[in-house]
Amino acid sequence: MKIIVCVKQVPDTSGKVAVKPDGTLDRASMQTITNPDDLNAVEAALKLKDETGCEVIVVTMGPPPAEGMLRELLARGADRAVLISAREFGGSDTYATSQIIAAAIDHMGLENDDIVFCGRQAIDGDTAQVGPQIAEKLGLPQVTYAQDIKKDGDSLTIQRALEDGYMTIKVKTPCLITCIKELNEPRYMSVGGIYEAYEKPMEVYDYNLLKDNPLIDVNNIGLAGSPTNILISFTPPQKGAGQMLEGADQATCDKLAGILAEKHII
Amino acid sequence: MNFQLTKEQELVRKMVADFAENEVKPIAAEIDVTEEFPMENVQKLFRYGVMGMNMPKEYGGAGADDVAYAMAVEELAKKCAATAVIVAAHNSLACWPILKFGTEEQKQKYLTKMTSGTIGAFCLTEPEAGTDASAQQTTAVLDGDHYVLNGNKIFITNGGVADVFVVMAMTDPSKGNKGISAFIVESSFPGFSRGKVEDKMGIRASSTTEIIFEDCIVPKENLLGAEGKGFNVAMATLDGGRIGIAAQALGIAQGAQDELVAYVQQRVQFGKPISKFQNTQFQIADMEARICAARWLVYDAAYKKYLSSQGQKISYGKESAMAKLFAAETAMAVTTKVVQLHGGYGYIKEYPVERMMRDAKITEIYEGTSEVQRMVIAKNVIK
């Protein structure tokens, strides 16, 4: 049994966001972190590893510096790391990205008891599309927004979070699950894990390895081949400071009504 | 000459910084007041391999280098100096002498426990043997297959929670220093007990107690190193242990400066943030230079200790004494200035800086006072 966890290095949105002239993110000039939901996906995999002793493989598509993130995930307890990296893959949208990652997973090979975990969505694009698209391309059943996962033989029982409750779904492996932050509390790296992380190999999947995979259409990957085109990106202007009125008397209410009327809200 | 940290060291810093921010900082003020030992966090630090991090993998450790260890203590001390000293005393004063002087059986028996949940402590100080550590009154008398220990140790860090103690005692009082031997004592041995719990000015969540040996039966095989070599064990242990305390002092200073930098940018007086005043800027500049100097002294001592552990013929006694002296006095000077720059807010418990100032003071005293460090340095310079 193995668990493949798809992870993404994203800009730390608590810092300054930089955008290149072509509308894509200028990742080089920004601090990066592991996408928060992906850490919940890694934790879900590591918990199953604690229970079953299965192998956990972390996979990302990104530029060579993404290796640093993968080493951190090895230091948390993952067994193997795969970096999908090639100039031809750069600038891919979700449609292109999911083809490439699906091809990489296909290259690793999925057995009957294997599971693919993804975070719900990345904090940069916020699309929540890549996980479900990978599942579609691999022909896997998928359960999104998992807030609880229990393994029972060859199936998983999953609580799928909804806005006003949850649904319980039983799914057979192999399958793909997307994880939300309510699922678990990610563990830290361990000191021993850190020292072992740099002794483990970094497997790199490049363009030549994946280009002939049937799940990839080489004309539909990279910035040029992606169907999504960004026309303009901009930072929305900050909202002005709010105005607080205090008091429970008639005068305060009249003042509030006056302000709202002035702004044509009432 | 290469001042570049390794990738492993950088990740250890990141990991411990995350842990300190999320787990240590939220309870630091509370446990300072209640004096509650942070057992839950200490057990997590075992789980994440920080407790016993320098021990080799074959004894359950992480095999981390000494610079990474200094950085881990520094990061913890930024948020809570008490948590930092719990880790430093366990690693430097209890695990290390067993690794360095222990037999293979002792290492297998004790280090595997001390990397997986059993806390360690070091017993040297006595009521009449502080800086004059050779004036040991605790005795150990061989009686068949065991030693019988009698005496009191005081100010023992981790004393109330440890289960493995490295203890110095006189096996031959007529020989002075050369009559001291080291022992590994378990809290379960007959005749072992814990005495007075100290009510301290700072590092209040760390456990500091008296340890009492009353006809305490210690198996002969628990002699650590040769009989009569205990003083050497103690001094070598303190040479390394000082790096941990220096790292703690460095962390306290950096933590206080971090608080200050945030404070002066939001505190407005005379219509502008106090960070715009030259007095604030110059004081922060002086602090920064001093903290950075302390950091390199600490890392240099740690690196030399690491090289020594790798078999290189290199001494680090002077370096660890310089690191501790300078970092401790930096911690005291910086925290005092940080409190001053906070004004009245620095004096009240709503802000963490008064705690940091109280915590800083002990770093000038324990594991060798600043005066002892000066003696060690001078002895190494004037030959």
Side-chain angles (χ1 to χ4, degrees), chain B residues 15-30:
Chain B
M15 173 244 155
V16 182
D18 279 353
F19 184 88
E21 177 69 27
N22 298 325
E23 315 288 335
V24 177
K25 185 183 174 186
I27 62 166
E30 185 190 335

Side-chain angles (χ1 to χ4, degrees), chain B residues 135-155:
Chain B
Q136 296 282 305
Q137 309 257 308
T138 299
T139 57
V141 177
L142 185 61
D143 180 12
D145 62 352
H146 60 264
Y147 286 88
V148 180
L149 267 64
N150 277 290
N152 286 23
K153 298 286 180 180
I154 57 163
F155 303 157

Side-chain angles (χ1 to χ4, degrees), chain B residues 153-382:
Chain B
K153 298 286 180 180
I154 57 163
F155 303 157
I156 304 307
T157 301
N158 291 344
V161 290
D163 286 313
V164 175
F165 294 77
V166 172
V167 181
M168 306 303 143
M170 278 284 184
T171 40
D172 187 348
S174 68
K175 289 186 178 165
N177 278 357
K178 291 184 176 146
I180 298 172
S181 303
F183 298 89
I184 305 171
V185 180
E186 296 180 37
S187 59
S188 60
F189 286 175
F192 172 97
S193 62
R194 306 176 208 264
K196 188 185 172 205
V197 178
E198 302 296 348
D199 182 4
K200 307 187 292 293
M201 173 200 241
I203 54 164
R204 288 168 56 79
S206 70
S207 164
T208 310
T209 71
E210 180 186 22
I211 298 294
I212 302 161
F213 304 101
E214 209 167 6
D215 292 331
C216 180
I217 306 296
V218 178
K220 201 174 166 182
E221 64 265 24
N222 277 34
L223 178 71
L224 180 62
E227 199 173 280
K229 295 284 185 191
F231 196 70
N232 297 7
V233 171
M235 291 304 114
T237 302
L238 289 175
D239 268 350
R242 280 169 191 149
I243 300 170
I245 300 307
Q248 182 203 20
L250 169 64
I252 295 170
Q254 184 65 65
Q257 198 208 30
D258 292 346
E259 291 293 332
L260 179 66
V261 169
Y263 180 77
V264 296
Q265 291 179 85
Q266 54 94 4
R267 172 68 170 164
V268 174
Q269 290 288 275
F270 301 104
K272 55 183 176 182
I274 60 172
S275 60
K276 301 286 182 197
F277 292 99
Q278 197 178 53
N279 175 57
T280 310
Q281 294 167 359
F282 279 14
Q283 297 224 37
I284 288 176
D286 287 348
M287 275 178 211
E288 177 69 9
R290 199 163 169 178
I291 291 169
C292 286
R295 180 169 291 115
W296 288 118
L297 280 176
V298 174
Y299 292 179
D300 177 56
Y303 185 58
K304 289 195 166 109
K305 180 165 185 264
Y306 168 72
L307 292 179
S308 166
S309 75
Q310 299 302 298
Q312 287 199 27
K313 284 208 177 304
I314 189 164
S315 62
Y316 54 86
K318 185 186 75 166
E319 284 75 7
S320 67
M322 292 194 301
K324 178 171 182 294
L325 169 68
F326 193 77
E329 294 193 345
T330 296
M332 201 62 236
V334 166
T335 52
T336 306
K337 279 187 180 174
V338 166
V339 167
Q340 186 69 22
L341 282 160
H342 274 69
Y345 292 110
Y347 199 67
I348 58 173
K349 288 185 187 291
E350 198 179 327
Y351 286 79
V353 294
E354 63 82 30
R355 167 168 53 87
M356 293 169 163
M357 184 177 163
R358 286 186 285 109
D359 289 343
K361 185 62 206 171
I362 191 62
T363 64
E364 293 184 313
I365 298 171
Y366 61 10
E367 291 198 36
T369 60
S370 289
E371 292 72 23
V372 166
Q373 309 311 325
R374 289 188 166 90
M375 284 160 58
V376 172
I377 298 162
K379 202 171 141 190
N380 275 277
V381 176
I382 311 165

Side-chain angles (χ1 to χ4, degrees), chain A residues 1 3 28 72 111 152 163 200 225 227 235 242 255-256:
Chain A
M1 176 184 171
I3 303 176
E72 290 185 25
E111 309 287 331
D152 178 22
E163 271 182 27
K200 290 177 181 168
T235 308
K255 195 174 176 190
L256 175 63

Side-chain angles (χ1 to χ4, degrees), chain A residues 83-153:
Chain A
L83 173 61
I84 307 165
S85 193
R87 202 166 288 277
E88 291 85 349
F89 301 151
S92 289
D93 66 0
T94 63
Y95 180 78
T97 300
S98 57
Q99 284 182 56
I100 300 163
I101 296 175
I105 293 171
D106 185 56
H107 179 77
M108 287 176 223
L110 279 179
E111 309 287 331
N112 276 340
D113 51 359
D114 291 348
I115 307 166
V116 180
F117 278 125
C118 299
R120 172 186 54 179
Q121 65 195 60
I123 58 170
D124 50 1
D126 266 333
T127 67
Q129 290 170 355
V130 171
Q133 288 188 43
I134 293 171
E136 286 303 312
K137 277 160 187 147
L138 289 168
L140 293 177
Q142 58 173 293
V143 181
T144 51
Y145 310 145
Q147 65 173 18
D148 186 62
I149 299 171
K150 285 194 175 56
K151 188 172 187 324
D152 178 22

